[in-house]
Amino acid sequence: ETGVTQTPRHLVMGMTNKKSLKCEQHLGHNAMYWYKQSAKKPLELMFVYSLEERVENNSVPSRFSPECPNSSHLFLHLHTLQPEDSALYLCASSQLTDRHYEQYFGPGTRLTVT
Amino acid sequence: AQSVAQPEDQVNVAEGNPLTVKCTYSVSGNPYLFWYVQYPNRGLQFLLKYITGDNLVKGSYGFEAEFNKSQTSFHLKKPSALVSDSALYFCAVRDIFGDDKIIFGKGTRLHILP
């Protein structure tokens, strides 16, 4: 699990705040992902970056803005969130050229929007 | 479109007994299949995968899974459950020739009773 790190681990923010989640992978992978995990719901894929280009955006509201400055780092910028955005946000990485390659997940950031 | 079903929200098993966590899938072509485990306050951790070849796949912590093409199933099994196996288990599928998306099931919570 130390191959993918996420900071902060916990975040409480008001609806008018701006904050960022950070993910870093030390595995030499070329793809990174953001997922949202809410209670009693399937894991929701939010964004996929392959070779630092965004290749997937699953109808995510614009109050979530991803950034991938290089293949090792991924950010999720948050602004004017809603209480229903409270969830566990998971980052993952994989080697996208190998389609059978599993994803490696970080520990997640537990976000609470008040 | 690909999909994954985990029909049980929760499975209870006595320690020492065999356990099974069910998963069925739907893809237009051939599947790559994965099992992940999530312990409290942690990210998902890869357990095992089916790519091709032997239908019985062995993974971490004594877990195994059997690929059954006719029943489109990939059930997770362990011969003797441990209390430490209590966690949330996710099945996932990727179509070999589809897009790069991995689809996760909604998860099954496994309780091992001492």
Side-chain angles (χ1 to χ4, degrees):
Chain A
E1 203 173 299
T2 54
V4 181
T5 57
Q6 289 186 244
T7 54
R9 293 293 308 273
H10 300 271
L11 178 62
V12 179
M13 58 186 288
M15 289 191 284
T16 57
N17 291 158
K18 288 185 181 181
K19 296 285 185 185
S20 295
L21 310 185
K22 179 183 175 183
C23 175
E24 186 173 356
Q25 60 99 358
H26 311 274
L27 301 169
H29 290 160
N30 59 13
M32 296 187 77
Y33 310 76
W34 279 117
Y35 287 89
K36 177 183 179 183
Q37 186 177 25
S38 306
K40 301 190 193 275
K41 282 186 167 184
L43 212 59
E44 297 173 53
L45 178 63
M46 300 174 73
F47 300 105
V48 180
Y49 276 83
S50 172
L51 300 171
E52 301 147 46
E53 283 192 27
R54 191 192 308 180
V55 297
E56 184 83 31
N57 177 349
N58 270 356
S59 304
V60 179
S62 59
R63 57 186 183 269
F64 294 91
S65 174
E67 180 190 0
C68 188
N70 55 61
S71 60
S72 299
H73 294 86
L74 185 65
F75 295 88
L76 189 62
H77 304 298
L78 316 171
H79 65 97
T80 58
L81 294 192
Q82 304 298 312
E84 60 265 27
D85 297 323
S86 299
L88 182 68
Y89 288 85
L90 292 165
C91 173
S93 71
S94 73
Q95 196 63 19
L96 204 56
T97 48
D98 297 328
R99 293 180 59 77
H100 56 77
Y101 203 81
E102 60 273 18
Q103 293 181 357
Y104 286 81
F105 284 79
T109 295
R110 174 70 62 188
L111 174 67
T112 303
V113 181
T114 60
Chain B
Q2 57 218 41
S3 65
V4 174
Q6 292 181 246
E8 303 151 318
D9 287 340
Q10 183 169 309
V11 172
N12 297 323
V13 177
E15 187 178 23
N17 283 2
L19 70 87
T20 299
V21 183
K22 295 180 181 176
C23 172
T24 58
Y25 67 90
S26 174
V27 296
S28 54
N30 291 318
Y32 292 134
L33 293 155
F34 307 83
W35 274 103
Y36 290 82
V37 60
Q38 185 178 31
Y39 297 102
N41 301 313
R42 305 280 287 276
L44 276 68
Q45 190 176 327
F46 170 72
L47 271 181
L48 52 80
K49 64 184 175 185
Y50 171 80
I51 304 170
T52 186
D54 283 343
N55 290 339
L56 186 64
V57 178
K58 294 188 185 295
S60 308
Y61 311 121
F63 282 94
E64 57 190 29
E66 186 166 11
F67 171 63
N68 187 317
K69 189 170 184 178
S70 62
Q71 296 185 4
T72 61
S73 67
F74 190 56
H75 300 332
L76 182 70
K77 300 183 180 187
K78 188 173 181 180
S80 178
L82 301 173
V83 172
S84 57
D85 293 329
S86 298
L88 188 57
Y89 290 81
F90 292 92
C91 181
V93 67
R94 170 185 275 166
D95 189 328
I96 290 179
F97 297 113
D99 61 25
D100 292 324
K101 205 180 295 187
I102 290 182
I103 302 298
F104 285 84
K106 61 179 175 58
T108 298
R109 189 161 296 282
L110 179 63
H111 284 287
I112 307 302
L113 308 169

